[in-house]
Amino acid sequence: PPQIPIISAIIDPVFSYISSCLPPPVSNALLTLFTHVLALFSALIGLGSALISSDWDAQKIIPPLITVLAAYLALASAVRTATWFVRTTAWLVKWGIIAAALSAAAAWLFNLSANGGGIMPGLTATVL
């Protein structure tokens, strides 16, 4: 998108503050996301102005249309990647806790049998 001085004057201090508060990978990801959103917005404006005009020239309509499609696909890919990351992390945490609980229970039971105690009939009374 072309440089607009008003937007640049507003956004530059915001991004300098964000980059000072956040780690570089997070601030770079936010900057990239904002750039894609701004490209999508400017392409939609360009496409709208090309469609509103009385003469429909393919050289005016196709480039904004391609830019809108590319920006949409980039944003959709970023959202799907973030969603996949969160779901995979939750799955790993859940099954890690389950595996750890089963391992701890097995270790506790094997420790009882190793000490000659065996599995006691009142196991629930011992646990509680």
Side-chain angles (χ1 to χ4, degrees), residues 40-63:
L40 178 65
F41 182 69
S42 68
L44 284 173
I45 289 175
L47 181 63
S49 66
L51 291 176
I52 289 174
S53 68
S54 60
D55 59 336
W56 281 27
D57 187 13
Q59 293 178 348
K60 290 182 180 177
I61 294 174
I62 300 293

Side-chain angles (χ1 to χ4, degrees), residues 46-127:
L47 181 63
S49 66
L51 291 176
I52 289 174
S53 68
S54 60
D55 59 336
W56 281 27
D57 187 13
Q59 293 178 348
K60 290 182 180 177
I61 294 174
I62 300 293
L65 193 61
I66 291 172
T67 305
V68 166
L69 180 64
Y72 168 74
L73 291 175
L75 292 172
S77 175
V79 168
R80 286 186 186 131
T81 301
T83 303
W84 176 84
F85 174 74
V86 169
R87 287 183 180 176
T88 303
T89 302
W91 186 87
L92 289 172
V93 167
K94 177 181 78 170
W95 285 105
I97 289 172
I98 290 171
L102 290 175
S103 306
W108 183 72
L109 288 175
F110 289 141
N111 189 21
L112 282 178
S113 64
N115 291 335
I119 297 178
M120 298 174 10
L123 184 60
T124 56
T126 306
V127 172

